[in-house]
Amino acid sequence: MLIMILPWIMLIVIVIIGGKCIYDFIQTNNVNQLFRMREGHFSIEIFIAMVVVYITIMLGYGMIYFILSLEGIVLVEHGELRQVSIIGSLIHSVYFSGVTLLTIGYGDIIPIGIGRLIAVSEALIGYILPAAFVLKVVQIGSRESRSRDE
């Protein structure tokens, strides 16, 4: 019973943490305090924030794939259905999530059914997320340059 509930609890926690990360990133005042940039220099804070958001999304989608595997919707490995242990399923789910999010797409693991739609949404996030971070850096830089000019 606990084995069936634990992934759902982990998914809820990851969604809450991910939502909080994205909310803090979007809020202009919080971002200006967290990410102080100096005239276009590389910001380690923004890089770390980007890594944390990527890891959160990867783990969240990994938990979705893992929950689907517990419900009988599986990932196909090398063109054939394989029965793996719960730990093996968790590892495959997180691996597939990372490969999909980072748009590498090796093709060694393929989703079935609704998993395909979920994989497409994750890949879309993987494409859009870098552009969102670049846009945020440009916005922060333009605000700081305007405030110095005034």
Side-chain angles (χ1 to χ4, degrees):
M1 179 72 173
L2 182 64
I3 274 283
M4 298 300 282
I5 295 174
L6 187 61
W8 289 101
I9 292 170
M10 290 173 57
L11 176 63
I12 290 169
V13 168
I14 289 172
V15 166
I16 290 170
I17 292 171
K20 175 78 169 112
C21 287
I22 292 170
Y23 177 79
D24 286 344
F25 183 72
I26 292 173
Q27 291 299 314
T28 306
N29 294 338
N30 292 343
V31 171
N32 284 336
Q33 293 170 1
L34 291 173
F35 308 135
R36 300 195 192 270
M37 290 183 17
R38 293 185 200 132
E39 299 180 23
H41 290 5
F42 175 78
S43 172
I44 192 72
E45 292 87 6
I46 290 179
F47 177 76
I48 290 171
M50 190 166 96
V51 168
V52 167
V53 169
Y54 266 101
I55 289 172
T56 303
I57 291 170
M58 183 178 70
L59 291 175
Y61 271 93
M63 290 309 302
I64 291 170
Y65 298 127
F66 179 63
I67 291 168
L68 288 176
S69 74
L70 292 177
E71 298 294 325
I73 301 172
V74 296
L75 299 172
V76 175
E77 187 175 351
H78 300 295
E80 60 187 53
L81 290 171
R82 293 189 181 178
Q83 293 290 27
V84 294
S85 66
I86 290 182
I87 299 296
S89 179
L90 181 62
I91 291 169
H92 283 129
S93 298
V94 172
Y95 164 77
F96 177 74
S97 176
V99 167
T100 303
L101 181 65
L102 300 173
T103 65
I104 298 168
Y106 292 128
D108 56 344
I109 298 178
I110 303 167
I112 295 176
I114 190 74
R116 290 180 179 207
L117 213 83
I118 295 168
V120 167
S121 71
E122 184 179 13
L124 181 64
I125 290 171
Y127 277 118
I128 293 173
L129 203 54
F133 274 97
V134 169
L135 181 62
K136 199 59 157 175
V137 168
V138 169
Q139 287 176 345
I140 292 169
S142 68
R143 282 189 196 120
E144 287 184 359
S145 67
R146 274 189 261 143
S147 66
R148 278 189 299 242
D149 292 342
E150 292 176 352

